[in-house]
Amino acid sequence: MKVIISGYGKMGHMVEEVLLAAGIEPVCATEDVCSVPEELAKDCVCIDFTTPDAFRANYKTLAVRFKAVVVGTTGWYDIKDEVYQAFRQAGSVLVWASNFSIGVNAFFAAVRRACEVLKGHGYQPAVEEVHHIHKLDSPSGTAKSIAGIIEDTLGEPAPIEAKRIGEVPGIHTARFVSEVDKLEFTHEAFSRKGFAEGAVTAAIMADGLEPGVYEFKDLIL
């Protein structure tokens, strides 16, 4: 499998580290993925951890040049339909997630199951997320995913409180309060490594997928 890393910041470096540990030598890591020659890109899986603006500018190029793209960048979901269409028209593979951590995806499943049990019993939900001060989108894509799961399953909107503190990698809490008790589910990332490991897992899976659009949680849960 050939991999190109788009975005060579902290997450890009972590993805490179995880790839090397798995015995996969990245072809390159670049801040300008559109400059990758088409002949090279067509045989590669691209792992994208850039910025919302960069992904918005690049997604059409990613769709037509790469055989598969794994997108860990968040903050673009308002144009999801356009992105999906671009990949489907190009006949390439898109695997995306608001959070590639395996633990977070287990957290999603736990919240969904809790909502199924709590539905109709008077529980009011809320979501809280804490991230480092450098994070560009607020609330996080993960928090929006949690709120979406709650609203879809419990039938109640979940307000989101977003906090930006220091260098916190990410803490997400789903809270359910009734007149008689309170339930809380929390996932805390200790580092960015979990996100990188999940993205590399997704890239390995993407290399063998039929063309189309996939959400990571649907591939592993």
Side-chain angles (χ1 to χ4, degrees), residues 64-120:
V64 297
R65 290 196 181 179
F66 289 88
K67 63 186 282 188
V69 181
V70 172
V71 181
T73 304
T74 59
W76 55 270
Y77 304 142
D78 57 308
I79 60 165
K80 191 183 293 182
D81 290 345
E82 293 93 324
V83 173
Y84 281 14
Q85 183 179 16
F87 278 85
R88 286 170 176 152
Q89 287 183 342
S92 52
V93 172
L94 168 66
V95 180
W96 71 276
S98 59
N99 193 312
F100 274 103
S101 162
I102 301 298
V104 162
N105 282 275
F107 174 80
F108 289 161
V111 170
R112 184 178 299 278
R113 180 65 185 122
C115 288
E116 291 171 350
V117 174
L118 299 175
K119 187 173 183 179

Side-chain angles (χ1 to χ4, degrees), residues 101-139:
S101 162
I102 301 298
V104 162
N105 282 275
F107 174 80
F108 289 161
V111 170
R112 184 178 299 278
R113 180 65 185 122
C115 288
E116 291 171 350
V117 174
L118 299 175
K119 187 173 183 179
H121 294 286
Y123 284 84
Q124 296 301 309
V127 176
E128 178 184 288
E129 60 103 340
V130 184
H131 277 93
H132 51 85
I133 60 174
H134 314 290
K135 187 165 181 59
L136 298 179
D137 53 328
S138 180

Side-chain angles (χ1 to χ4, degrees), residues 3-208:
V3 178
I4 288 176
I5 301 169
S6 176
Y8 202 41
K10 291 179 180 178
M11 274 306 307
H13 281 83
M14 186 63 72
V15 168
E16 181 180 47
E17 179 182 316
V18 172
L19 284 167
L20 292 172
I24 301 169
E25 180 84 32
V27 174
C28 69
T30 178
E31 294 289 355
D32 182 15
V33 72
C34 294
S35 68
V36 175
E38 292 184 35
E39 284 301 306
L40 175 61
K42 70 179 184 179
D43 294 323
C44 294
V45 177
C46 176
I47 300 179
D48 184 282
F49 278 98
T50 52
T51 66
D53 286 344
F55 180 75
R56 288 167 186 271
N58 295 338
Y59 76 86
K60 292 180 181 178
T61 300
L62 292 171
V64 297
R65 290 196 181 179
F66 289 88
K67 63 186 282 188
V69 181
V70 172
V71 181
T73 304
T74 59
W76 55 270
Y77 304 142
D78 57 308
I79 60 165
K80 191 183 293 182
D81 290 345
E82 293 93 324
V83 173
Y84 281 14
Q85 183 179 16
F87 278 85
R88 286 170 176 152
Q89 287 183 342
S92 52
V93 172
L94 168 66
V95 180
W96 71 276
S98 59
N99 193 312
F100 274 103
S101 162
I102 301 298
V104 162
N105 282 275
F107 174 80
F108 289 161
V111 170
R112 184 178 299 278
R113 180 65 185 122
C115 288
E116 291 171 350
V117 174
L118 299 175
K119 187 173 183 179
H121 294 286
Y123 284 84
Q124 296 301 309
V127 176
E128 178 184 288
E129 60 103 340
V130 184
H131 277 93
H132 51 85
I133 60 174
H134 314 290
K135 187 165 181 59
L136 298 179
D137 53 328
S138 180
S140 69
T142 304
K144 291 178 181 177
S145 292
I146 298 165
I149 290 168
I150 292 170
E151 185 161 7
D152 289 346
T153 313
L154 187 65
E156 296 284 346
I160 301 173
E161 181 180 6
K163 299 178 181 179
R164 298 291 173 262
I165 301 173
E167 299 296 330
V168 176
I171 304 171
H172 293 89
T173 298
R175 184 176 298 112
F176 304 90
V177 181
S178 75
E179 292 183 356
V180 296
D181 59 11
K182 176 176 71 174
L183 288 80
E184 288 188 344
F185 296 83
T186 296
H187 176 275
E188 179 177 357
F190 298 147
S191 74
R192 294 178 173 84
K193 188 174 182 180
F195 313 140
E197 288 180 344
V200 170
T201 297
I204 293 169
M205 298 173 77
D207 193 44

